[in-house]
Amino acid sequence: MHYRIAKGVFDILPQDPDPQGNWRETHLWHFFEKTMREVALAFGYEEIRTPIFETTDLFTRSIGSSSDIVTKEMYTFRDKGNRSLTLRPEGTAPVLRSFIEKSLHNQGKVHKFFYSLPMFRYERQQAGRYRQHHQFGVEAIGIGSPFQDVECIHLLWTLYQRLGLQNLTLHIHSLGNEETRKAFRHALKIYLRPHVNSLSAESQLRYETNPLRILDSKDAKDQKILEEAPKILDFLGEDAKDHFNTVCALLNDLKIPYLINPKLVRGLDYYNQTVFEITASELGAQNSLGGGGRYDGLIQQLGGPDLPAFGFGAGIERILITMLGQNVPFPKRRAPTLFLIPLGEDAAPFSFTLGSHLRTEGISVEIDLSGKKLKNAMKAASQKNAAFVAVIGDDEKKSGKFQLKNMQTGTVETVSSDELANVLQTYP
Ligand code: HAM
């Protein structure tokens, strides 16, 4: 029996044998996670971890019954108690569920969370689109002012800068409030009515269920039809207009370049006012490196207090793929400081004790217990990128002195077992 990985998911390995697959290597994820944590903490966000599954109604009520996620993409199953559960397709609803359930608003008005968690969506498999993907996201609860919108956008922008990403485009837009969208939906339907039969099959369906989503159709013919379509920005009330103008002004102050994109509507129903997305040209069709927006009203809709909120989610796979595509330098994979090669069976227990002791001192040691010939063992040491190599034979065992070879410079130094830990500890 030969088992294969399920469709649309992937392993993250110390080293992926496929040269195209090096974004699936653990040390790249560690680098991303370290940088992401540093940036999120610098902005005053704290980490939250919610369970992988939630009750299904949490997602159907928040994401929207006509969204792709709810209609086609959820991994929903019944547990042995016949409860309907769903693997988390996105991070916002679970964070809000936790916030409301624990009455966190009693601990203060403002709460800022970040997360880095796997998400599950039954999507058509293609480059940059997976059935399990990972999102770095933030949810900032309690502040309704444009400062909050820009703080979140700035956080993600800063992270991308810190990671060394280039050629990114920040798209921003405002969806106004429910009233705006109602009036706009009506105007858009009137505009599209004479063209309905020429729209793509998907957009024809959306004409009935969720006409706003027609705006972000990738179909060239749909886009042509939409050229003269009404614009949401023309339907904004005074407050929403002011809010959006302030967002633009604050972005200007922070020197973050942006593009006002009247087609940006987002695929989840809970947004109002500011929405944004950051795209990378390298990624092709699945080019969104992250996106989010304001979702005032959602907390109340889920049974909590009436608090405004803003957040985003960013796909970690796509970020790493873009970084590699742009040749961004990554720190090297962690290598052992010392590679110990016992010569002959007698040397093995001695080498094992010595190496084990050094490990307890915090030194990373690899002990070659495979019984390889010296030449092959040396080859393994250089493949592992070990900083030092010591060969242990009878002489070393007796004298307690080792020839420590620096693999980078080729120099050899004689060190006693007592000195070994000190010498290696000075190595970075
Ligand atoms: P979303 O746009 O559905 O938003 O996903 C956020 C990001 O996750 C996308 O921009 C993309 O980078 C990545 N992503 C989504 N689906 C996939 C996939 N199948 N494969 C690979 N990457 C993917 C949300 O999920 C919202 N919860 C974001 C948010 C938080 N809004 C407010 N707070």
Side-chain angles (χ1 to χ4, degrees), residues 69 73 89-93 115 119 121 123-124 126 128-139 160 266-268 270-271 277-278 283 286-295 310-319:
I69 296 180
E73 296 172 357
E90 65 101 45
T92 311
Y115 50 85
M119 308 288 163
R121 299 182 189 179
E123 302 227 48
R124 208 159 37 83
Q126 62 188 98
R129 201 186 239 189
Y130 309 97
R131 291 187 175 168
Q132 173 180 269
H133 74 277
H134 296 74
Q135 268 185 37
F136 160 57
V138 312
E139 311 297 344
Y160 291 160
R266 309 266 313 133
L268 303 95
Y270 47 63
Y271 295 109
E277 232 162 81
I278 297 180
L283 279 172
Q286 300 308 314
N287 66 355
S288 179
L289 276 193
R294 182 158 282 290
Y295 51 89
F310 193 100
F312 67 74
I316 303 177
E317 292 76 9
R318 293 185 191 176
I319 294 171

Side-chain angles (χ1 to χ4, degrees), residues 104 313 321 325 329 363:
L104 294 185
I321 290 168
I363 297 160

Side-chain angles (χ1 to χ4, degrees), residues 11-55:
D11 301 312
I12 303 172
L13 303 170
Q15 191 163 27
D16 196 290
D18 172 4
Q20 295 299 311
N22 45 4
W23 59 272
R24 295 178 298 229
E25 294 185 358
T26 333
H27 68 285
L28 303 197
W29 289 72
H30 289 163
F31 173 64
F32 172 82
E33 285 158 7
K34 182 172 173 284
T35 315
M36 166 277 282
R37 279 206 169 80
E38 281 169 13
V39 173
L41 292 170
F43 276 75
Y45 288 68
E46 289 185 287
E47 185 165 1
I48 181 167
R49 300 184 189 194
T50 61
I52 281 188
F53 56 79
E54 299 274 352
T55 59

